[in-house]
Amino acid sequence: MARVLSLLRHRPVLTSVGNMHPKACEISLDCRARDVFAAAVEAVQPDIVVRQSVRRKDDSVTVEGRTFSLKHNLHVVGFGKAVLGMAKEAERIIGDHLVKGVISVPHGIQQTLKQHGKQHLLLKENSRIEVMEGARHNLPDANAQQAASAIQQLASKLTEEDLLLVLISGGGSALLPAPTSPITLQEKHDVTRKLAAAGATIQELNTVRRALSTLKGGGLAQSAYPAQVIALILSDVIGDPLDLIASGPTVYCDIWPEEVLSVLDRHKVLESAPASVKDVLGKLKTPRVESKDSVNRANNVLNAVIGSNSIALQSAGQRAGELGLRPVVLSPGVCGDVRSVARLYGLLSRFACSPEEPPPAIAAELLKLGPEVGVESWDLCRTMHVLETWRAEECRPICLLAGGEPTVELTGKGVGGRNQELALRVGLELRDVQHAPHGPVFLSGGTDGQDGPTEAAGAVTDGGLCDEAGAQELDVNTFLANNDSFTFFSRLSAGQRLLLPGLTCTNVMDVHMLLIPPRPIKIK
């Protein structure tokens, strides 16, 4: 362990505090954590990420260093929970060259935005972009299928002189259902539902979805060829894999019949699959060696991730520095069982708060736990080194930042979400560590503003949580056993620990932060 950390000792990790507000140190860690979370969410607002990624100059537009000519040849399509705001900003920037557009958005989203005062994310009345609502309860339905058909029709009429701007965000898969004939929407839904219930991974689910769809797995780009396709993507998937976000409609992907059949068979869904599904799979052909034509088609597509968890964490780190904190990004890919994730943050707190040199057993357990929760050993070693040097400096509070999407095993029937349950479990982990304001503060929040079926995005916790709950006759373990974290935090101190940002209009998964104050300076 010491040898690994020694390799990092000469790498600068300090962040400048020149922009720190003079009164920042007077603000509690709880308030600063909430402020940092707000900055993370603001950085990935749909209109902001488009504004920062699309550069207009005269009759041309530049995205990720590639420039395209605008000559009244622009068409726009989109699908996802955040594409209304993305479309609004795109039309503002290059709308004078827009011919037509169609976007597929969640049922009721326009009315919801109006009710929450988010009119700046709505298209103007005379917009050339048609808005079609569907996928009620985030499930593909006939309205979403109609929108997908309209999108496919628009794309299929384009020529090599045209430019197709594709806007994609979380929820896009349910808003772009286009099952391959003769498969019906219900039949496709039943197959994927059975796979999910059987424990299929997201990769396996997408393998099957692509095989049964005309638009996923590069199908939309295929329909638009030979037009130039520019996809602007707001990612809600760990690692930002282009083929998994909304099932990759602009990412060409070979479909291997043997692989699809193997997934269905492995999860015991093949035998019960409808005749239409078996018919489509039976007609799939094994991909041939990459041809010149397929290379040309791929070159006609630019996929750009313009919003992600990493971008949110970067902005959060900047704001943390302004608030007098020392930001350190642990990882944007935290996943796995919420109990293991809570243990990770508990161990990091003990490592940082040890009165003497941290026991080697803590570092060993962290390195063993890391891969289980999606954190690389290198990132843990780097973070532990930063904590070691920080302990010696004893200057500013440290702000460990991470993101991702842990999972919760449902054992009860309570009301809650993964962020509130994580905060509750971290509170348990911190009960033996010094309490706030002299001990760690932890925040977990969903960037979409809604953690499970609740009005909260998450919660803020610290080592005093258990004592506070006990004084109010609330048993933490009872609420955890019933997955009832929202009820717990709502009752605890009149809900003061809940994180309530309201409708955020975006989603790049969750943000976690662990704020640790420096140890008091001992004067001899």
Side-chain angles (χ1 to χ4, degrees), residues 61-267:
V61 62
T62 301
V63 177
E64 286 202 341
R66 289 181 60 179
T67 301
F68 307 91
S69 296
L70 295 171
K71 42 192 176 182
H72 303 286
N73 58 339
L74 177 68
H75 299 74
V76 174
V77 298
F79 30 91
K81 297 179 180 179
V83 301
L84 255 177
M86 297 172 75
K88 171 66 178 292
E89 186 62 18
E91 188 169 27
R92 184 190 69 80
I93 298 172
I94 49 182
D96 54 324
H97 286 274
L98 178 60
V99 178
K100 185 181 179 182
V102 178
I103 58 174
S104 177
V105 299
H107 175 81
I109 186 65
Q110 295 176 97
Q111 184 61 32
T112 300
L113 290 174
K114 290 177 183 177
Q115 292 172 348
H116 286 80
K118 304 283 186 177
Q119 286 87 347
H120 67 285
L121 298 177
L122 294 171
L123 294 170
K124 55 189 179 182
E125 290 185 5
N126 60 344
S127 172
R128 294 179 181 175
I129 301 175
E130 180 183 2
V131 180
M132 302 181 71
E133 295 188 356
R136 189 189 292 263
H137 307 307
N138 202 32
L139 295 173
D141 57 19
N143 289 331
Q145 187 174 11
Q146 185 178 356
S149 178
I151 288 172
Q152 186 170 23
Q153 287 178 24
L154 185 153
S156 63
K157 295 177 181 178
L158 302 182
T159 70
E160 61 184 4
E161 298 296 323
D162 291 311
L163 193 61
L164 179 64
L165 183 64
V166 184
L167 308 173
I168 304 174
S169 73
S173 185
L175 288 160
L176 194 73
T180 303
S181 179
I183 302 173
T184 67
L185 183 61
Q186 186 60 48
E187 287 173 335
K188 182 184 174 186
H189 174 66
D190 288 344
V191 169
T192 53
R193 180 179 53 80
K194 289 179 181 178
L195 281 172
T201 65
I202 184 63
Q203 291 83 359
E204 290 175 325
L205 285 170
N206 275 297
T207 294
V208 174
R209 283 175 180 149
R210 287 192 294 261
L212 306 182
S213 172
T214 60
L215 292 179
K216 295 178 172 64
L220 178 58
Q222 175 79 20
S223 294
Y225 187 80
Q228 173 67 53
V229 175
I230 305 172
L232 305 181
I233 303 167
L234 190 58
S235 171
D236 67 336
V237 181
I238 289 177
D240 309 327
L242 297 175
D243 61 322
L244 294 188
I245 303 169
S247 302
T250 57
V251 182
Y252 285 106
C253 181
D254 288 334
I255 298 174
W256 297 83
E258 300 85 353
E259 183 181 7
V260 180
L261 293 170
S262 175
V263 170
L264 294 172
D265 185 54
R266 183 161 53 251
H267 295 287

Side-chain angles (χ1 to χ4, degrees), residues 338-339 342 420-430 480 483:
V338 70
R339 290 169 293 191
Q420 293 164 86
E421 179 147 336
L422 176 59
L424 188 49
R425 290 187 179 278
V426 171
L428 277 177
E429 290 283 341
L430 298 179
L480 281 174
N483 299 118

Side-chain angles (χ1 to χ4, degrees), residues 21 52 78 100 120 126 193 326 351 357 372-373 383 395 399 407 439 494:
H21 193 281
Q52 294 177 340
K100 185 181 179 182
H120 67 285
N126 60 344
R193 180 179 53 80
R326 178 177 173 177
F351 186 93
E357 188 75 16
E372 183 181 331
V373 294
T383 301
C395 51
C399 178
T407 55

Side-chain angles (χ1 to χ4, degrees), residues 15-17 19-20 316-327 396:
T15 301
S16 171
V17 294
N19 295 325
M20 185 180 78
Q318 181 178 343
R319 182 57 180 156
E322 295 169 357
L323 291 171
L325 305 169
R326 178 177 173 177
R396 294 175 291 160

Side-chain angles (χ1 to χ4, degrees), residues 410-416 421 476-485:
L410 296 178
T411 56
K413 297 181 179 180
V415 180
E421 179 147 336
V476 173
N477 289 309
T478 299
F479 283 95
L480 281 174
N482 196 35
N483 299 118
D484 206 12
S485 53

Side-chain angles (χ1 to χ4, degrees), residues 312-355:
L313 294 182
Q314 182 181 1
S315 181
Q318 181 178 343
R319 182 57 180 156
E322 295 169 357
L323 291 171
L325 305 169
R326 178 177 173 177
V328 180
V329 176
L330 172 64
S331 170
V334 177
C335 58
D337 189 88
V338 70
R339 290 169 293 191
S340 298
V341 176
R343 180 62 178 166
L344 174 82
Y345 292 123
L347 288 169
L348 286 169
S349 298
R350 288 179 175 80
F351 186 93
C353 297
S354 296

